[in-house]
Amino acid sequence: MKKLIAIALVAFLGLSSAMAQQVDLRRKISVSGSAETEVTPDIIYIGISLKEYLNGKKKVEITELEKQLYAAVQKAGIAKENLTISNLSSWNYATEKKKNPDFLASKQYRLKVADLNKFNAILEEIDAKGIANTNIESYDYSKIESLKKDLKIKALLSAKEKATYMAEALGNNLNGVIEIQDGGDNIIQPVYRNYMMKSAMAESADAAPEIDFKKIKLNFTVNVVFELSPDLTAKK
């Protein structure tokens, strides 16, 4: 019986010792750092919808409107592979025209540009009555991954600077990093209104609609725990 009690006592003392060793007694300071910037999107995907219309008794064919679009894209210095047909049904309008001679065909395109000024220039080269509507589908920034890395490094350095002056105010130095937590990506995309150019409104369309340039906002936060060195005043 005494042996069992002794074994239990040793086990208890060992467990207590292990638990004591797990308690983190280091002196710490926990701070957050942040960094932010704004960039103008340089990858922009625009949807363009063309539609045939009647000019008196004459029909303005989709092929003519399409030629104007391709010519405008080329004139703007945009690679032809950046303009694609985005709607599969656009390929089937010939069948519908055979069934119904009065059918007004339409086609939807997707255009990739790096500068919205070129979008305006392209619209100015196309018959406004043939533009059913246009809209900005999506946008991005080509160097966003590199920018994320730079901003997170700046956020870390900001956290270190903050921890340093707070610790020094109390007579301490930083003694290394204990923990770093990424606060996640906070990217606010710009919101553009859709630009509609319906044929009924195109009578007085002398120029393409003006587009406001809005920036992508990036903000990153990191939470860092630093270990504090012993009180400097205690060393003196």
Side-chain angles (χ1 to χ4, degrees):
M1 184 68 179
K2 291 181 178 180
K3 289 183 178 180
L4 292 175
I5 294 175
I7 292 172
L9 181 60
V10 170
F12 174 75
L13 292 175
L15 179 61
S16 299
S17 176
M19 291 178 63
Q21 291 176 2
Q22 292 178 1
V23 176
D24 190 352
L25 299 178
R26 292 174 293 184
R27 301 168 66 247
K28 296 172 286 186
I29 180 172
S30 178
V31 296
S32 63
S34 63
E36 63 181 12
T37 192
E38 294 183 348
V39 293
T40 301
D42 62 358
I43 301 175
I44 308 163
Y45 290 97
I46 301 169
I48 303 173
S49 180
L50 301 180
K51 187 171 184 177
E52 295 179 338
Y53 70 94
L54 294 176
N55 185 10
K57 293 183 178 180
K58 181 184 177 182
K59 181 189 294 184
V60 178
E61 300 281 348
I62 195 71
T63 52
E64 175 59 29
L65 296 171
E66 191 172 50
K67 286 179 182 178
Q68 293 177 14
L69 175 59
Y70 277 102
V73 169
Q74 186 177 19
K75 183 178 178 180
I78 298 173
K80 61 180 181 180
E81 56 266 25
N82 287 354
L83 178 64
T84 57
I85 295 177
S86 62
N87 192 331
L88 187 61
S89 64
S90 296
W91 294 95
N92 302 323
Y93 72 90
T95 303
E96 294 295 330
K97 290 172 75 73
K98 289 180 180 179
K99 295 179 181 178
N100 180 9
D102 297 327
F103 174 75
L104 295 176
S106 63
K107 267 190 176 185
Q108 287 74 47
Y109 305 84
R110 195 175 196 229
L111 177 66
K112 177 183 176 182
V113 299
D115 184 352
L116 286 178
N117 282 321
K118 292 188 176 182
F119 175 43
N120 273 339
I122 289 170
L123 290 184
E124 290 174 357
E125 298 293 323
I126 305 172
D127 183 349
K129 293 182 180 180
I131 302 175
N133 61 72
T134 65
N135 70 288
I136 296 176
E137 296 179 348
S138 62
Y139 30 79
D140 204 347
Y141 181 65
S142 58
K143 298 179 181 178
I144 198 164
E145 292 304 321
S146 175
L147 191 58
K148 286 181 184 180
K149 179 180 176 180
D150 291 342
L151 287 174
K152 288 186 179 182
I153 291 174
K154 288 181 180 179
L156 281 170
L157 294 176
S158 173
K160 182 180 179 182
E161 181 183 9
K162 185 187 297 184
T164 299
Y165 69 69
M166 291 176 68
E168 289 179 349
L170 298 176
N172 287 266
N173 282 334
L174 302 183
N175 200 32
V177 178
I178 295 176
E179 182 180 356
I180 298 175
Q181 290 184 343
D182 188 348
D185 297 352
N186 182 21
I187 302 176
I188 302 175
Q189 295 281 9
V191 177
Y192 295 95
R193 71 179 189 271
N194 287 345
Y195 292 88
M196 309 298 290
M197 292 188 65
K198 298 183 182 297
S199 57
M201 300 170 58
E203 295 294 338
S204 60
D206 297 325
E210 182 180 350
I211 298 177
D212 295 328
F213 286 86
K214 293 181 173 63
K215 297 179 180 294
I216 297 174
K217 296 181 180 180
L218 299 96
N219 181 285
F220 297 97
T221 301
V222 293
N223 301 308
V224 189
V225 180
F226 294 93
E227 181 181 6
L228 293 175
S229 63
D231 194 325
L232 294 178
T233 58
K235 294 182 179 180
K236 296 180 179 179

